[in-house]
Amino acid sequence: MLKVEGLEKKFGKNTVLKGVNLEIKEGEITVIVGPSGGGKTTLLRCISGLTQPDNGSIIINNKYLYKDGKIAQKKDELEIRKDVGLVFQNFNLFPHMSVLENITEAPRVVLGMDIEEAKNKAKEILGFLGLENKQTSYPFELSGGQKQRVAIGRALAMEPKLICFDEPTSALDPSMTGEVANLIKKLSLEKSMTVLIITHDMAFATMVAHRILSMNNGILKEEHMYM
Ligand SMILES: Nc1ncnc2c1ncn2[C@@H]1O[C@H](COP(=O)(O)OP(=O)(O)O)[C@@H](O)[C@H]1O
Ligand SMILES: [Mg+2]
């Protein structure tokens, strides 16, 4: 599903990724744990096509997004990036758009989907997420957990094959940890999603993961912890 080979990234003199290798199988929930500043977000941004690595390759669904640090052909880039959904640490919802508009925006603008089709799909996703009664609400009217579910809905609307979460428990009350873990497991079971999570929350990681890796100082290591 996802293969990362020898990924390197520097910001100025700061080498953040030092030859990262990673392979993720379809349907797996993989969690990368590690301290702040270890390069976890940078890795996720490279996999989502938001940050270009200096070297190394990223292969998604047998297609190169980056090969030896170079971007895939422009026409293929969008096609490949579409397969990866990212749920940001602070959710990044569009504040001036309703829940329904937040979810229909990318399918309409990026995929050119018909508005009625986009709305029907968004309603189905909101049902799955238990938010059917929040369609017309705005982000400021939602709790943190609800905002996160809208952010997940926005990612799902693009029908990704891989969904990535950056610190999904960090913006929420600690009492929400179990609920977030259950929702991610439901994505894996009922939507057959492949999931990649980065977190510094070890308790959460053990709740949700099939497999845990650790990232420290730009180096990724297998923890040999299979749940
Ligand atoms: N856009 C950027 N410009 C410069 N430095 C960055 C940028 N993004 C991240 N960094 C640096 O890269 C290192 C790793 O950051 P990050 O990937 O966010 O780690 P983590 O998510 O594990 O906390 C940090 O030292 C951070 O300051
Ligand atoms: Mg981070």
Side-chain angles (χ1 to χ4, degrees):
M1 170 77 250
L2 171 74
K3 207 168 179 182
V4 175
E5 293 175 340
L7 205 69
E8 295 175 12
K9 181 69 188 176
K10 274 186 203 169
F11 292 109
K13 285 185 183 151
N14 184 8
T15 305
V16 177
L17 301 177
K18 299 174 182 166
V20 170
N21 299 303
L22 169 66
E23 201 165 335
I24 292 181
K25 293 194 195 73
E26 204 168 333
E28 251 182 3
I29 302 177
T30 302
V31 180
I32 299 176
V33 295
S36 180
K40 302 185 302 297
T41 296
T42 304
L43 174 62
L44 218 55
R45 289 182 58 87
C46 289
I47 292 168
S48 312
L50 299 174
T51 294
Q52 181 159 8
D54 300 323
N55 214 339
S57 302
I58 298 177
I59 303 146
I60 295 160
N61 218 9
N62 296 315
K63 287 170 279 184
Y64 278 94
L65 174 61
Y66 297 106
K67 186 171 189 178
D68 302 324
K70 290 185 197 69
I71 188 84
Q73 292 294 313
K74 255 301 179 247
K75 73 166 175 55
D76 299 333
E77 186 194 351
L78 181 67
E79 183 72 13
I80 300 164
R81 281 179 57 173
K82 214 161 53 67
D83 286 342
V84 183
L86 175 60
V87 179
F88 292 93
Q89 187 165 8
N90 295 309
F91 318 135
N92 290 5
L93 298 179
F94 304 120
H96 60 293
M97 289 185 188
S98 70
V99 166
L100 201 65
E101 287 164 344
N102 262 280
I103 296 178
T104 55
E105 179 72 5
R108 283 179 49 232
V109 175
V110 181
L111 307 180
M113 194 183 281
D114 170 78
I115 176 77
E116 283 311 313
E117 189 188 346
K119 274 187 187 168
N120 287 335
K121 214 168 118 191
K123 286 176 192 171
E124 182 194 317
I125 291 169
L126 287 171
F128 172 82
L129 295 168
L131 287 173
E132 48 278 274
N133 58 349
K134 296 288 178 192
Q135 287 177 36
T136 57
S137 300
Y138 283 80
F140 76 90
E141 299 172 300
L142 303 175
S143 72
Q146 289 166 341
K147 278 185 222 171
Q148 181 174 60
R149 279 184 274 154
V150 176
I152 294 170
R154 199 171 56 173
L156 290 179
M158 297 295 280
E159 298 188 338
K161 302 207 163 56
L162 171 71
I163 187 163
C164 302
F165 290 85
D166 190 348
E167 301 277 2
T169 58
S170 70
L172 302 177
D173 189 276
S175 67
M176 294 283 295
T177 302
E179 207 173 298
V180 177
N182 286 337
L183 179 56
I184 292 174
K185 283 183 194 166
K186 191 173 155 195
L187 279 175
S188 159
L189 283 171
E190 295 177 23
K191 297 255 174 210
S192 309
M193 258 321 134
T194 307
V195 182
L196 175 60
I197 302 167
I198 60 174
T199 183
H200 65 269
D201 183 343
M202 198 61 203
F204 168 67
T206 55
M207 261 182 225
V208 74
H210 295 139
R211 176 183 171 214
I212 298 182
L213 301 121
S214 73
M215 178 111 188
N216 209 333
N217 252 316
I219 294 166
L220 190 61
K221 284 198 191 115
E222 185 84 45
E223 289 290 295
H224 296 291
M225 282 172 64
Y226 290 84
M227 305 298 139

